[in-house]
């Protein structure tokens, strides 16, 4: 059984036609059909059934594909590991990160690493916390940058820094002239929140509970800067990290939302890096992990 045939099988199994697959592989359609038939003979079962002009996986085909995917993934990881051992200053770092870290933490740690290792490439993905955990457990990411320990024994997490959170209020708000507030003073106010599944949403609800109330949901969004803009527009208040003004400068006509310190509750969140427990990272990813541990604490915006 050849790896090349497994790759062709996977392509057809994922919906490509035999004609298109053969064209991309620079083989004739009859040659590809014969290769798939030989694969079925080796496996001892029909892997495809025809549905019109398309091929669909049989139950045996679906079962076989799971193992074929694992074989190809392990082979590609092995080739990658050997290549990085031969030249550890090249390779690919697969990194997933929390949406809210993409505006201030991820850019400087990536650019600093690329200055040292310009031939290294990155495969980047953004998620909420649940998606980040899945990336690690599925093996599609070597490292993730997230808030808080995932609390899974299959994942190792290390704190990088503690990020302060502030209460953002509209410029015309009754508390806007203050430098600090008690979070309890905002009970009854509409809160602009991230959707369920984001760590900052859970943190906000937990901190409000410590202050003795549940936040009234005024709006739910997917991006911190969207929430900040809606606060500025007067639609509610929010518990947010400090803005990175170098990346998101206010327009001349804009009066940005004041960000007030909180005096009755410790408002902050942990930011950390995580990787799969018990699995040795590829050399280039391990180098990047060490780089992040050394440089991330300096990435916080000034208070």
């Amino acid at each position: 059984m050849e790896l090349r045939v497994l790759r062709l099988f996977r392509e057809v199994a994922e919906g490509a036609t035999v004609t298109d697959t053969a064209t991309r592989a620079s083989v004739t359609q009859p040659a590809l059909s014969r290769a798939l038939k030989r694969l079925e003979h080796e496996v001892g079962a029909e892997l495809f059934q025809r549905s019109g002009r398309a091929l669909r996986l049989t139950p045996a085909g679906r079962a076989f594909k799971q193992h074929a995917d694992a074989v190809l993934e392990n082979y590609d990881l092995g080739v990658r590991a050997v290549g990085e051992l031969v030249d550890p200053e090249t390779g690919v770092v697969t990194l997933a990160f929390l949406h809210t870290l993409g505006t201030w933490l991820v850019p400087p740690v990536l650019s600093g690493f690329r200055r040292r290792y310009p031939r290294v490439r990155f495969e980047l993905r953004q998620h909420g916390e649940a998606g980040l955990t899945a990336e690690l457990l599925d093996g599609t990411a070597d490292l993730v940058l997230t808030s808080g320990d995932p609390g899974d024994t299959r994942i190792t997490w290390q704190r990088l820094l503690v990020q302060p959170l502030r209460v953002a209020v509209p410029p015309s708000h009754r508390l806007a002239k203050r430098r600090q507030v008690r979070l309890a003073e905002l009970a009854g106010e509409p809160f602009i929140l991230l959707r369920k599944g984001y760590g900052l949403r859970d943190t906000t609800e937990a901190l409000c509970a410590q202050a003795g109330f549940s936040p009234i949901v005024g709006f739910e969004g997917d991006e911190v800067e969207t929430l900040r803009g809606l606060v500025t527009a007067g639609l509610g208040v929010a518990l947010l990290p400090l803005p990175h003004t170098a990346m998101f400068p206010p327009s001349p006509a804009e009066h940005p939302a004041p960000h007030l310190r909180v005096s009755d509750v410790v408002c902050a969140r942990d930011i950390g890096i995580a990787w799969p427990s018990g699995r040795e990272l590829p050399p280039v990813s391990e180098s990047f992990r060490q780089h992040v541990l050394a440089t991330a604490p300096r990435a916080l915006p000034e208070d």
Side-chain angles (χ1 to χ4, degrees), residues 19-38:
T19 300
D20 290 343
T21 302
T23 300
R24 282 191 289 270
S26 299
V27 299
T28 65
Q29 181 177 336
L32 175 55
S33 297
R34 288 194 298 271
L36 295 176
K37 284 295 183 183
R38 287 197 302 272

Side-chain angles (χ1 to χ4, degrees), residues 137-167:
L137 298 181
D138 292 345
T140 51
D142 291 333
L143 298 162
V144 301
L145 296 171
T146 188
S147 65
D149 189 337
D152 191 311
T153 58
R154 296 169 293 177
I155 294 173
T156 300
W157 181 86
Q158 187 167 348
R159 181 184 291 107
L160 296 171
L161 50 89
V162 177
Q163 184 182 33
L165 299 176
R166 301 286 184 260
V167 172

Side-chain angles (χ1 to χ4, degrees), residues 163-171 173-187 189-193 200 203-204 207-208 211 213 215 227-228 231-232 236-243 256-268 303:
Q163 184 182 33
L165 299 176
R166 301 286 184 260
V167 172
V169 299
H173 193 272
R174 59 187 172 86
L175 301 174
K177 301 299 183 183
R178 301 258 295 270
R179 294 183 63 86
Q180 68 178 28
V181 298
R182 291 181 300 110
L183 192 58
E185 293 181 72
L186 297 169
E189 298 266 0
F191 269 72
I192 311 298
L193 300 167
L200 186 57
T203 298
T204 297
L207 291 172
C208 289
F213 70 96
L227 270 57
R228 207 183 313 274
V231 171
T232 299
V237 301
L239 200 58
L240 300 173
L242 289 166
H259 287 61
L260 314 178
R261 293 177 181 272
V262 177
S263 60
D264 58 338
V265 176
V266 177
C267 287
D303 191 346

Side-chain angles (χ1 to χ4, degrees), residues 4 25 39-40 60 66 70 72 76 111 132 144-145 155 198-199 203 213 227 236 239 242 261 269 274 277 288 293 299:
R4 184 166 184 258
L39 182 60
E40 290 181 323
Q66 294 179 2
L72 292 171
D76 291 340
S111 60
L132 296 176
V144 301
L145 296 171
I155 294 173
Y198 289 93
T203 298
F213 70 96
L227 270 57
L239 200 58
L242 289 166
R261 293 177 181 272
R269 64 173 179 171
S277 302
F288 180 69
L293 290 171

